[in-house]
Amino acid sequence: MTFQKITEQESHYHDLEKMSTRALLTSINKEDQTVALAVEKVIPNIEALVGVIVKKMSSGGRLFYIGAGTSGRLGIVDASECPPTFGVSDDTIIGLIAGGDLAIRKAVEHAEDDAQQAFKDLRNFNVNPKDVVVGIAASGTTPYVIGGLEQCNSQGITTACITCNVGSPLDQVASFPIAVSVGPEFITGSSRMKAGTAQKMILNMISTSVLIQLGHVKGNKMVDMQLSNDKLVDRGTRMIMEEIGVTYEIARQLLLDHGSVRNAIAQQGLC
């Protein structure tokens, strides 16, 4: 390696098995507090990526996340939460993980080592230059992710990455790299911890900012959210009450009649 792999550096803490529960929790929390500050430093990079995603998706493109292990699971979590939160279809933001759906719950040995598989997975969704593909890998060295972005580049597909090692191979191959340095993990090399937290924060920032700019939020309300349970029906009802000044019962009926907060309010000429 020609770069400094910070995610593999020695932890600042030693003899963890001898620490009390309070000391473990306090020390982990102390490390976690540094993550948001590290993410803050790469906001310009995130901004650049959000801009290109909005442009692509406004023209009918999609957003793909590809990753392995923890990184892949984080991409899937973010993608899967966008339809219920913002009312977009489940083929708008798509998360793919090395090893397929089995790898969401269980480790699939050597799945991340196949540099050809990611693009095969993407081709199952007819990936094309309208789309954006974001590779997620804390180490920045995962062949599945690097190979996927390399092949996307060769096909004229916009690529980006989220990694925690500046100057990594993944950082070098992505057109829009986001490399956030969170320092050594509490447990040496356990990148599901600070690195995973940083990746989750950045994914939240990307998808939320993109979908706000694409019009799926009004004010600060999720007006396009799916009404998939009683809690969300109640939340939507209260949004309508607040917006148009009607009783709970009337607001709930409007919501159920029109299928979304946006549509219910639009019928009143207010959205």
Side-chain angles (χ1 to χ4, degrees), residues 4-16 31 183-190 194:
Q4 188 177 32
K5 202 170 183 180
I6 296 173
T7 54
E8 296 293 335
Q9 286 185 349
E10 185 79 7
S11 171
H12 297 309
Y13 303 83
H14 300 277
D15 299 320
L16 304 187
E31 290 298 309
E185 296 287 1
F186 179 70
I187 298 176
T188 300
S190 183
K194 289 195 299 181

Side-chain angles (χ1 to χ4, degrees), residues 51-82:
V52 74
I53 295 172
V54 169
K55 183 177 180 180
K56 291 280 188 176
M57 291 180 71
S58 295
S59 300
R62 298 162 296 173
L63 172 60
F64 287 90
Y65 299 135
I66 59 172
T70 297
S71 297
R73 295 182 190 105
L74 288 170
I76 288 171
V77 167
D78 192 72
S80 66
E81 290 177 346
C82 289

Side-chain angles (χ1 to χ4, degrees), residues 207-226:
S207 58
T208 302
S209 298
V210 167
L211 293 173
I212 288 173
Q213 292 189 52
L214 290 175
H216 294 287
V217 170
K218 184 177 187 297
N220 58 14
K221 303 296 193 299
M222 297 181 290
V223 293
D224 291 333
M225 68 181 180
Q226 294 177 355

